[in-house]
Amino acid sequence: MTDTIPTGKAVTRDALRQVGRPLVRTDAVGKAVGKTMYVGDHVMQGMLHARVLRSPIASARLTRLDVSKARALDRVACVLTADDLERPLIAVDIPGQTGRARLETDQQVLVRDRVRYHGEPLALIAAETVEIAEEAMRLIEFDLEPIPGVYNPEDALQPGAPIVQGTDNVVAAQKIVKGDIEKGFREADRIIENTFQTQFVEHAFLEPEVGLGWVDENNIINLRASTQVIENFRFIADAIGVPHNRVRVRASLVGGGFGGKEDVTMECYIALLVKHTGRPIRLEFTREDSLMGHGKRHPFTMTYRTGVKADGTITALEVRLIADAGAYVFLSPYVLLYAAIAAPGPYRVDNLLIDGRAVATNNMYTSAFRGFGAAQAAVAYEQQMDEIAMELGIDRIELRRRNYLRSGDTISSNYPIESAVWTEECVDRAWAALGEPTEATGHLRIGRGVAAYQQSYGRITYLHDTSQAWVGVEIDGSVTVRSGVTDIGAGQVSALGQIAAEVLGVDLDDVAIYNSDSAVTPLAGTTTATRALYMTGNAVKVAAEALRGRLIERAAKSLGVASDGIDIADGTVFAIDDPGISMPFHELVKLSAADGIHCSELAIFRAPFSDGLDPETGEGQVHPDYVFGAHAIEVAVDVETGEVSILKSVAAHDVGRAINPTAVEGQIEGGAAQGQGFALSEEMIYEEGRLITPSFSEYLIPTSMDVPKVESIILESGTGLGPFGAKGIGEPALTPVAPAIANAVTDAIGVRVKELPITPEKIVAALHAEPT
């Protein structure tokens, strides 16, 4: 359902014709009938097949690496080690278009002397067949001398701990100070403290990493890659030692990303092998390769100390965050920042201290994952709110209501929220939609939980984010959109078509979209950070509006009507006050082209810029805007086995404006399923850094039998910064799900499991634990 609620900022629904309709997405039919070409479907004549040799242990010195037997194997074209590379490092930072300075996040392409994590690449092989490449991999001889490692962030912070990165293993620190924390605690009637933990989580996308590379007739290295970021071509070019304009990255529709295809992974390996062999190279990770070949969700340990009045009003909040960065820095500084900004949740806290650190260990490196730090923070702050309600004997919904942020209030970094904050409406609607409780029977206990959230959309404002798009009309009135945006399954490309169709008064079927080619489509930035609709959608809207303006001026001349009295809809240009005065849209385009009017537009959209945070207090603007919403859950817990079943799942989100409500529902439903796995079953388990859940036989994601029907309540305040007042839903759809489940389980069994995932073993142990 889609509702507009007249609260907060004054909101009016525009007379929209294409936007807001549940249109069939441009990618839907191809996917439904199996005709969609994913990267793995692309092959070339004469291509070689690549494999990656990985370290079997997590912390060691490489004392010998002998590839002579592999190189001598018949039909092996190339074997590369670190000694063969001109440039040993590759950048792993957020790409941008402004040339700003990067963080010091470089990672070695291949191990030269030190292994830092289980699965770190030692060598690359290219051969005529996959089987020969695997045989060559088995022929490589190497000696690894184990060295002391560190596998827990708290241990890594101790004096004398083995150093993985830097001088003290701290790869990022973030502090935020707001108000007077000591004063706030003095004013509190109660102080409640709890520590919550989250785990390593795998993205578990359906399509593993895959790519095809070749050198074309212009001596350009081409990469057809399953990636969220075509602008990684710059990092790839730097790593292999060629100018940026000699690398071209093209992305097909991506079979799931969730942040796991944001960093450079197999692209660099393919480019290196293409450069050394001059032959087409195809590399497809096995599922086991994939589980070891990209970063995971950061595990967090989060200690919350909250001061409250007897009526539940929060007077002070102190938060300590420790994140496991794994063996390399990657995006840990940004993830930690997002977690810190989100740490109080959608609640007003005037006296605040947040102290966070991301710490290097010899575990698998961690990086971007849907929710990007804010999801981990929500697990803590929403369980803490339930704990406070229980301690004070206040209804948990009422406790939240007494502390909600409102429009104009300042968030953790002391920056005011200007858009609508509909947290209360979302919580109330989601909670009410659960309906009557299911009756408990036998050894099943029924519980209910709710979680609200605050989630950013758009990249950090001091990164000076931009996005470009090109929109043109053809002589027959059809519309073309060109954008570098990648589509990772959420309908990013289709949404651009819907926006252009709305502005230019045509149907979505009349729009063709070309996307994701670093050489020929305008660079749109990353498909990350819930930014694609906000940034690229606005760029398309700006381009289409400029084009529309020129066409309207020409129509005014032909129709004899002032330009502000003309509209375009359903392929017809007409006078608003007298629709009988009209002409077909394609005739207007012909007239405009004949007059030499520019019938296309290249536009750039610039996000709000800021100068960054105060280094002492963490005060300032971090994100352009925020999304608010809630998820409500009903569970049944078997107190004999600890098994949890999700009975009801209801989401309520203010998305600002739903460009395509069906696509929004798809995001909500996918987020609910992924959040359920985060809460109950998914965990990458490492022992002494060694992965012991190397496949989907051990790493348990929810199946269709586990996930209930999800009810989606889509609210539209129309106050977002995106096109037509849109906000975002990609990451927010996941964020409140796990804490809502955690609160429901606690409601069912009367005891809290503070460490995710909440497995049956942990539930049974908690039920049988001695009271403290």
Side-chain angles (χ1 to χ4, degrees):
M1 64 184 75
T2 303
D3 289 333
T4 299
I5 298 176
T7 60
K9 244 183 212 184
V11 176
T12 58
R13 181 181 290 280
D14 300 323
L16 301 172
R17 301 181 177 99
Q18 296 290 317
V19 165
R21 294 175 58 195
L23 302 179
V24 176
R25 281 173 25 182
T26 57
D27 60 327
V29 174
K31 289 179 175 177
V33 301
K35 289 186 176 181
T36 296
M37 288 284 289
Y38 290 93
V39 172
D41 296 314
H42 291 273
V43 295
M44 293 185 74
Q45 186 174 5
M47 69 184 183
L48 298 169
H49 297 267
R51 282 291 180 264
V52 181
L53 175 67
R54 301 180 180 278
S55 169
I57 60 177
S59 182
R61 295 204 182 279
L62 178 62
T63 58
R64 184 176 73 96
L65 181 59
D66 185 349
V67 298
S68 58
K69 292 180 182 178
R71 283 175 173 162
L73 186 64
D74 186 39
R75 303 180 71 196
V76 169
C78 184
V79 179
L80 296 179
T81 71
D83 291 339
D84 301 307
L85 306 184
E86 298 175 14
R87 303 189 180 195
L89 302 177
I90 186 168
V92 278
D93 191 12
I94 295 178
Q97 299 180 42
T98 60
R100 66 177 185 85
R102 293 192 297 104
L103 296 180
E104 294 297 326
T105 57
D106 291 353
Q107 178 196 20
Q108 59 182 346
V109 179
L110 296 172
V111 172
R112 183 173 297 277
D113 54 32
R114 183 178 175 186
V115 172
R116 288 182 171 85
Y117 68 90
H118 176 216
E120 189 159 17
L122 305 176
L124 306 175
I125 303 101
E128 297 291 343
T129 69
V130 171
E131 293 76 15
I132 294 171
E134 291 176 345
E135 176 61 23
M137 190 163 60
R138 287 189 287 270
L139 291 174
I140 296 175
E141 299 175 359
F142 58 89
D143 292 328
L144 292 172
E145 176 189 325
I147 59 176
V150 61
Y151 306 102
N152 179 288
E154 286 81 3
D155 293 342
L157 292 171
Q158 298 304 311
I163 298 299
V164 183
Q165 294 288 346
T167 59
D168 59 2
N169 290 324
V170 176
V171 300
Q174 185 64 55
K175 194 168 188 177
I176 296 177
V177 178
K178 179 184 180 185
D180 186 336
I181 190 72
E182 296 302 328
K183 176 176 176 290
F185 280 123
R186 286 196 300 271
E187 292 175 349
D189 295 317
R190 298 283 296 275
I191 296 175
I192 297 161
E193 180 173 335
N194 288 287
T195 296
F196 307 95
Q197 291 181 298
T198 62
Q199 73 279 31
F200 284 99
V201 182
E202 157 65 18
H203 303 78
F205 29 69
L206 183 62
E207 172 200 41
E209 293 87 338
V210 61
L212 178 67
W214 69 96
V215 180
D216 66 18
E217 63 276 8
N218 296 312
N219 202 33
I220 305 294
I221 294 178
N222 288 257
L223 293 171
R224 176 74 73 174
S226 177
T227 179
Q228 296 178 229
V229 185
I230 62 170
E231 287 163 55
N232 282 335
F233 75 87
R234 299 188 181 104
F235 295 164
I236 298 164
D238 288 342
I240 67 175
V242 300
H244 290 184
N245 66 354
R246 310 308 292 182
V247 173
R248 179 182 184 182
V249 175
R250 284 180 269 185
S252 300
L253 288 171
V254 178
F258 315 115
K261 295 175 182 173
E262 176 177 342
D263 300 315
V264 179
T265 53
M266 46 80 202
E267 303 99 316
C268 186
Y269 306 147
I270 295 171
L272 283 166
L273 289 168
V274 168
K275 182 182 178 184
H276 279 79
T277 66
R279 298 266 302 275
I281 299 289
R282 185 180 189 274
L283 173 58
E284 178 180 345
F285 281 0
T286 63
R287 183 60 63 183
E288 290 76 11
D289 262 332
S290 182
L291 290 175
M292 290 193 288
H294 65 261
K296 309 305 169 193
R297 186 188 291 282
H298 289 71
F300 267 75
T301 298
M302 301 165 284
T303 299
Y304 272 61
R305 183 167 175 258
T306 309
V308 290
K309 292 283 193 182
D311 66 358
T313 304
I314 297 171
T315 63
L317 175 62
E318 180 180 3
V319 180
R320 305 286 175 178
L321 305 172
I322 297 180
D324 191 337
Y328 287 95
V329 181
F330 274 77
L331 302 184
S332 290
Y334 304 110
V335 171
L336 183 67
L337 171 63
Y338 277 56
I341 292 297
Y347 306 107
R348 177 168 178 155
V349 179
D350 294 326
N351 302 300
L352 178 67
L353 172 62
I354 301 171
D355 188 2
R357 287 175 290 178
V359 184
T361 67
N362 288 109
N363 293 319
M364 181 64 187
Y365 63 84
T366 47
S367 192
F369 199 126
R370 189 180 194 177
F372 208 78
Q376 291 94 319
V379 168
Y381 63 69
E382 280 303 273
Q383 291 191 85
Q384 180 76 343
M385 291 301 285
D386 264 28
E387 288 294 300
I388 293 169
M390 187 164 53
E391 288 270 350
L392 298 180
I394 297 175
D395 176 79
R396 48 189 161 168
I397 305 296
E398 179 59 30
L399 174 73
R400 287 170 169 80
R401 184 175 291 114
R402 294 176 186 179
N403 289 285
Y404 286 137
L405 284 168
R406 309 290 178 181
S407 295
D409 286 346
T410 60
I411 61 171
S412 56
S413 63
N414 212 25
Y415 191 83
I417 296 174
E418 297 180 0
S419 66
V421 181
W422 282 5
T423 314
E424 184 171 356
E425 289 83 357
C426 290
V427 170
D428 290 349
R429 291 288 295 274
W431 191 248
L434 286 178
E436 291 297 316
T438 301
E439 184 178 348
T441 58
H443 42 79
L444 294 180
R445 301 291 181 266
I446 305 300
R448 291 183 161 193
V450 70
Y453 70 90
Q454 169 192 305
Q455 181 89 43
S456 63
Y457 65 98
R459 286 170 65 182
I460 298 168
T461 50
Y462 46 85
L463 297 182
H464 292 199
D465 199 12
T466 62
S467 184
Q468 300 176 62
W470 184 97
V471 178
V473 289
E474 309 301 337
I475 296 298
D476 64 353
S478 61
V479 175
T480 300
V481 175
R482 293 186 172 93
S483 168
V485 70
T486 53
D487 192 316
I488 61 174
Q492 286 89 353
V493 168
S494 187
L496 301 185
Q498 208 162 341
I499 291 165
E502 177 67 45
V503 174
L504 293 172
V506 300
D507 292 334
L508 180 58
D509 289 341
D510 297 320
V511 183
I513 309 109
Y514 297 89
N515 67 292
S516 309
D517 187 328
S518 67
V520 299
T521 54
L523 297 180
T526 65
T527 302
T528 65
T530 311
R531 69 173 289 283
L533 174 63
Y534 161 52
M535 294 296 299
T536 307
N538 269 329
V540 167
K541 185 170 182 284
V542 170
E545 287 175 339
L547 176 55
R548 174 190 169 99
R550 291 195 290 271
L551 296 175
I552 289 287
E553 288 295 330
R554 181 62 183 82
K557 180 179 176 181
S558 291
L559 298 178
V561 178
S563 58
D564 61 0
I566 293 176
D567 200 357
I568 311 174
D570 300 321
T572 301
V573 186
F574 58 93
I576 296 172
D577 294 334
D578 186 357
I581 302 175
S582 65
M583 65 189 302
F585 180 64
H586 66 85
E587 290 295 334
L588 172 61
V589 176
K590 287 180 180 178
L591 289 173
S592 299
D595 285 358
I597 294 171
H598 197 187
C599 291
S600 65
E601 182 75 16
L602 175 64
I604 185 169
F605 176 74
R606 298 175 177 86
F609 293 174
S610 72
D611 295 328
L613 299 183
D614 183 289
E616 299 298 324
T617 65
E619 183 174 299
Q621 184 181 10
V622 178
H623 301 106
D625 193 21
Y626 297 88
V627 183
F628 298 87
H631 205 100
I633 289 285
E634 184 182 78
V635 302
V637 182
D638 187 321
V639 293
E640 291 187 354
T641 66
E643 182 180 5
V644 178
S645 299
I646 308 295
L647 304 180
K648 299 177 184 178
S649 183
V650 182
H653 303 269
D654 169 28
V655 301
R657 180 77 66 215
I659 302 299
N660 186 324
T662 300
V664 171
E665 287 180 359
Q667 285 291 285
I668 291 172
E669 291 164 2
Q674 199 167 39
Q676 181 175 330
F678 184 25
L680 298 177
S681 63
E682 297 186 38
E683 182 175 16
M684 297 291 285
I685 301 174
Y686 297 90
E687 291 184 357
E688 296 294 298
R690 183 177 179 83
L691 178 63
I692 62 170
T693 51
S695 74
F696 286 166
S697 294
E698 302 88 8
Y699 185 85
L700 304 179
I701 60 176
T703 71
S704 59
M705 300 296 290
D706 303 312
V707 181
K709 180 180 178 181
V710 178
E711 181 177 351
S712 301
I713 302 172
I714 303 171
L715 308 180
E716 297 184 276
S717 66
T719 63
L721 300 180
F724 306 101
K727 290 193 173 187
I729 192 59
E731 292 177 290
L734 173 138
T735 295
V737 180
I741 292 172
N743 285 338
V745 171
T746 301
D747 184 52
I749 67 175
V751 62
R752 185 171 296 280
V753 177
K754 299 178 183 178
E755 179 182 352
L756 297 190
I758 305 171
T759 61
E761 294 84 357
K762 291 176 185 175
I763 289 174
V764 170
L767 287 170
H768 290 85
E770 292 292 331
T772 57

